[in-house]
C-alpha cells in the first residue's frame, strides 16, 4: 500500500457514514417504488441517523447534549411514524388521520427546539437571523 493513502482505520467516521448513506440511497432508488423492502430500507436509513447522533453525543461529549438528544428523539418519532405507516400498508388499512400522523407531527417540535437551542448557543445574546433562517 502506498504511504500517502490512508488505511481503512484512518478514514474519518463521518466519511464512512456518508459513503454508507450514499450506498443506501442508491439501493433505495433501485428497488421497486412503494415496495415494503424499499420502505423498510428508508426506515433503516432514518434509524441510522438516530444511532449516529447518539454515538456522536456519547463519543464527543458536547457541553450541552440536550439539543442533540432532542433532535434524535424527534427523528425517532419520525421513524416510528414510518414504521406505523408500513404496518398500515401491510394490513391493508389507510386511516386518516392515523397514529402515524400523530407521530410525524410530534417529531417536529423536538427537532425545532433542538435547532433553536443550537442556534441560540452559537452567539452570545442569541442569533435572530440564524433562527429566522432555520425556521
Amino acid at each position: 500500500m502506498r504511504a500517502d493513502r490512508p488505511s481503512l482505520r484512518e478514514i474519518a467516521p463521518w466519511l464512512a457514514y456518508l459513503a454508507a448513506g450514499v450506498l443506501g440511497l442508491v439501493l433505495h432508488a433501485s428497488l421497486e417504488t412503494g415496495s415494503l423492502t424499499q420502505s423498510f430500507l428508508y426506515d433503516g436509513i432514518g434509524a441510522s441517523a438516530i444511532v449516529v447522533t447518539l454515538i456522536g453525543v456519547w463519543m464527543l461529549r458536547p457541553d450541552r447534549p440536550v439539543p442533540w438528544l432532542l433532535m434524535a428523539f424527534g427523528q425517532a418519532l419520525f421513524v416510528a411514524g414510518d414504521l406505523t405507516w408500513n404496518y398500515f400498508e401491510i394490513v391493508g388499512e389507510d386511516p386518516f388521520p392515523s397514529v402515524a400522523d400523530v407521530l410525524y407531527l410530534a417529531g417536529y417540535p423536538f427537532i425545532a427546539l433542538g435547532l433553536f437551542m443550537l442556534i441560540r448557543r452559537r452567539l452570545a445574546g442569541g442569533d435572530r437571523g440564524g433562527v429566522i433562517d432555520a425556521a
Side-chain angles (χ1 to χ4, degrees):
M1 181 189 302
R2 291 178 23 184
D4 59 341
R5 284 193 176 171
S7 70
L8 216 51
R9 287 178 283 172
E10 295 171 339
I11 294 176
W14 69 266
L15 191 57
Y17 182 67
L18 176 64
V22 168
L23 181 64
L25 291 174
V26 168
L27 180 59
H28 180 272
S30 69
L31 294 171
E32 179 185 344
T33 302
S35 69
L36 281 178
T37 305
Q38 187 186 47
S39 295
F40 284 117
L41 177 60
Y42 180 83
D43 299 339
I45 293 169
S48 74
I50 302 163
V51 171
V52 297
T53 301
L54 295 176
I55 289 172
V57 167
W58 176 68
M59 289 179 64
L60 301 175
R61 308 255 188 237
D63 296 350
R64 295 186 179 137
V66 173
W68 298 103
L69 296 174
L70 286 170
M71 289 188 289
F73 186 69
Q75 180 66 20
L77 289 170
F78 288 159
V79 172
D82 288 335
L83 290 170
T84 304
W85 188 255
N86 289 345
Y87 169 77
F88 289 140
E89 286 184 346
I90 291 169
V91 298
E93 293 183 20
D94 192 12
F96 181 79
S98 71
V99 174
D101 297 316
V102 172
L103 291 168
Y104 290 134
L105 291 174
Y108 286 107
F110 291 99
I111 291 180
L113 182 59
L115 286 173
F116 287 140
M117 289 173 75
L118 286 175
I119 292 167
R120 183 172 178 155
R121 184 165 186 260
R122 195 177 90 188
L123 295 174
D127 179 10
R128 288 197 171 114
V131 170
I132 292 169
D133 285 344

